[in-house]
Amino acid sequence: MSKSKIWLSSPHMGGNEQQYVNEAFATNWVAPLGPNVTGFESDLEQYLGNTHAVAALSSGTAALHLALILAGVKAGDEVICQSMTFSASANPIVYLGATPIFVDSEPTTWNICPVALENALVDRIAKGKKPKAIIAVHLYGMPFQVDAIVALAKKYEVPLIEDSAEALGSHYNGKFCGTFGDFGVLSFNGNKIITTSGGGALVCSSQTVKEKTVFLATQARDQAPHYEHSHIGYNYRLSNICAGIGRGQMEVLNAHIQKRREMHEFYVNLFADKKGISVLCEPSASYFSNHWLSAIIVNPEFNNGKSREDLRLALEKENIESRPLWKPMHLQPVFQEAPYYGNTVAEDLFVKGLCLPSGSNLTDEDRERIAAVINTF
């Protein structure tokens, strides 16, 4: 009999999601507006400290697309983007006819390198193409070097967009990821720390910016009794059904974060006596990661030449999902013409890095199976 699949990060329902969804059906609020949408936005605003306004949208990608539009990005412009990320961080740049400028990571948080970022800013400005925005990612829930990146965005007066798709609940010096930049992007895809099945949100600096976001996300209809349009709009609003799932998930968000952090501790302990394996950990007490995904670096020279791919295959053989780190964007065929600034940190991470099962719904039995494969390996 084949063993049950242990997933990298599967959806984890809390119990009350169905109640909110049933209310939406009972009251016939099944459109992309309604009490769940408003309530979900309010839940998120409250969670983030009531300092920002939140617009609930159909995906994190939609949120990033609208953030770029609101930052004034147009065809022919340039946008700096962390190279070590999922393609959804970069694709919306191309939607707008702009060019992504990719920047390397630094080895402590695996996020955008301040030195390479400044080199990119200085060089693009010298070439007469001042970037219109910077997209920095909190990879796997680990906050980027906030002080340095925010300082550079201010110094060169370039809007900062935080891709916090993987980092809801993570914080730096007690302030939540998604609230440091001009915009913050959240994702509620099925594999995230909480889910709305599909969905996302844009964290906005003010209620006015939120209203502009919602306007663009609902086909940019001007105030008129008929359909009048003076801007190009999008169909990007979150449905009231999906928002109902989100409301139920908000009730268990902190519990899910705690479970993910416990999984991270499990790996820290599991690899403590194993040479050549390093676990991605917070560099100091200022950082608090939700540890959406726990990730390791496998150094073959300490492991009889065995690589992260060998470990991935050993886990796969036991029906346990693991995955290489994101392949850097500057190495992707679709972005091969894009400029790149930095060294080989992101490339090295990709070659040696592996994401391990991290879900908040993993059991003791699952952990025993994972540990058995790793110890044998």
Side-chain angles (χ1 to χ4, degrees), residues 82 84 104-114 137-146 149 172 280-284 287 289 295 325 345 349:
Q82 182 168 318
M84 187 77 185
D104 199 5
S105 293
E106 41 77 15
T108 44
T109 72
W110 301 1
N111 291 309
I112 196 164
C113 172
V137 186
H138 302 291
L139 202 69
Y140 304 126
M142 184 63 69
F144 55 67
Q145 292 185 4
V146 172
I149 303 307
Y172 177 78
L280 175 63
C281 295
E282 287 97 334
S284 75
Y287 293 80
S289 173
L325 304 190
V345 174
L349 287 168

Side-chain angles (χ1 to χ4, degrees), residues 282-363:
E282 287 97 334
S284 75
S286 295
Y287 293 80
F288 179 96
S289 173
N290 64 14
H291 290 296
W292 170 62
L293 289 186
S294 290
I296 59 169
I297 295 297
V298 180
N299 287 297
E301 56 270 32
F302 291 102
N303 291 288
N304 301 320
K306 289 189 284 191
S307 68
R308 70 110 161 105
E309 186 58 10
D310 295 320
L311 177 54
R312 189 188 72 78
L313 292 170
L315 289 161
E316 185 177 72
K317 195 175 171 192
E318 294 299 315
N319 211 15
I320 300 169
E321 184 184 25
S322 64
R323 193 179 296 158
L325 304 190
W326 301 125
K327 183 177 181 180
M329 290 300 102
H330 73 279
L331 301 180
Q332 298 286 355
V334 73
F335 293 123
Q336 60 189 6
E337 303 299 320
Y340 172 72
Y341 291 81
N343 297 307
T344 62
V345 174
E347 293 176 35
D348 296 341
L349 287 168
F350 171 61
V351 169
K352 296 180 178 179
L354 191 69
C355 295
L356 298 168
S358 307
S360 48
N361 50 3
L362 293 173
T363 63

Side-chain angles (χ1 to χ4, degrees), residues 211-377:
E211 285 164 11
K212 285 181 186 171
T213 304
V214 173
F215 170 73
L216 290 171
T218 50
Q219 301 292 17
R221 294 196 299 269
D222 295 338
Q223 287 290 327
H226 57 277
Y227 285 87
E228 184 82 9
H229 303 272
S230 49
H231 295 79
I232 295 293
Y234 304 87
N235 185 14
Y236 279 173
R237 201 69 162 117
L238 186 66
S239 88
N240 198 54
I241 304 286
C242 292
I245 301 171
R247 293 214 71 186
Q249 288 273 282
M250 285 301 291
E251 295 176 5
V252 293
L253 172 55
N254 284 331
H256 283 196
I257 292 168
Q258 183 57 31
K259 291 284 188 189
R260 300 256 175 179
R261 287 176 61 81
E262 285 169 10
M263 278 306 299
H264 173 258
E265 281 304 309
F266 162 76
Y267 288 119
V268 168
N269 294 328
L270 181 61
F271 290 112
D273 59 348
K274 295 174 177 59
K275 277 187 181 174
I277 306 283
S278 54
V279 183
L280 175 63
C281 295
E282 287 97 334
S284 75
S286 295
Y287 293 80
F288 179 96
S289 173
N290 64 14
H291 290 296
W292 170 62
L293 289 186
S294 290
I296 59 169
I297 295 297
V298 180
N299 287 297
E301 56 270 32
F302 291 102
N303 291 288
N304 301 320
K306 289 189 284 191
S307 68
R308 70 110 161 105
E309 186 58 10
D310 295 320
L311 177 54
R312 189 188 72 78
L313 292 170
L315 289 161
E316 185 177 72
K317 195 175 171 192
E318 294 299 315
N319 211 15
I320 300 169
E321 184 184 25
S322 64
R323 193 179 296 158
L325 304 190
W326 301 125
K327 183 177 181 180
M329 290 300 102
H330 73 279
L331 301 180
Q332 298 286 355
V334 73
F335 293 123
Q336 60 189 6
E337 303 299 320
Y340 172 72
Y341 291 81
N343 297 307
T344 62
V345 174
E347 293 176 35
D348 296 341
L349 287 168
F350 171 61
V351 169
K352 296 180 178 179
L354 191 69
C355 295
L356 298 168
S358 307
S360 48
N361 50 3
L362 293 173
T363 63
D364 287 341
E365 188 189 342
D366 293 333
R367 282 183 277 276
E368 283 168 21
R369 279 177 60 194
I370 293 163
V373 176
I374 287 169
N375 286 328
T376 304
F377 180 82

Side-chain angles (χ1 to χ4, degrees), residues 114-181:
V115 176
L117 173 58
E118 185 156 33
N119 288 343
L121 285 163
V122 169
D123 192 52
R124 299 325 288 182
I125 290 166
K127 287 180 163 67
K129 293 286 280 189
K130 182 178 176 179
K132 281 291 188 74
I134 298 163
I135 298 169
V137 186
H138 302 291
L139 202 69
Y140 304 126
M142 184 63 69
F144 55 67
Q145 292 185 4
V146 172
D147 294 337
I149 303 307
V150 169
L152 287 170
K154 284 182 176 159
K155 178 179 175 181
Y156 293 95
E157 298 179 323
V158 179
L160 176 62
I161 300 170
E162 278 178 88
D163 185 340
S164 302
E166 301 168 0
L168 180 60
S170 299
H171 47 82
Y172 177 78
N173 282 337
K175 190 178 175 190
F176 281 109
C177 292
T179 64
F180 293 103

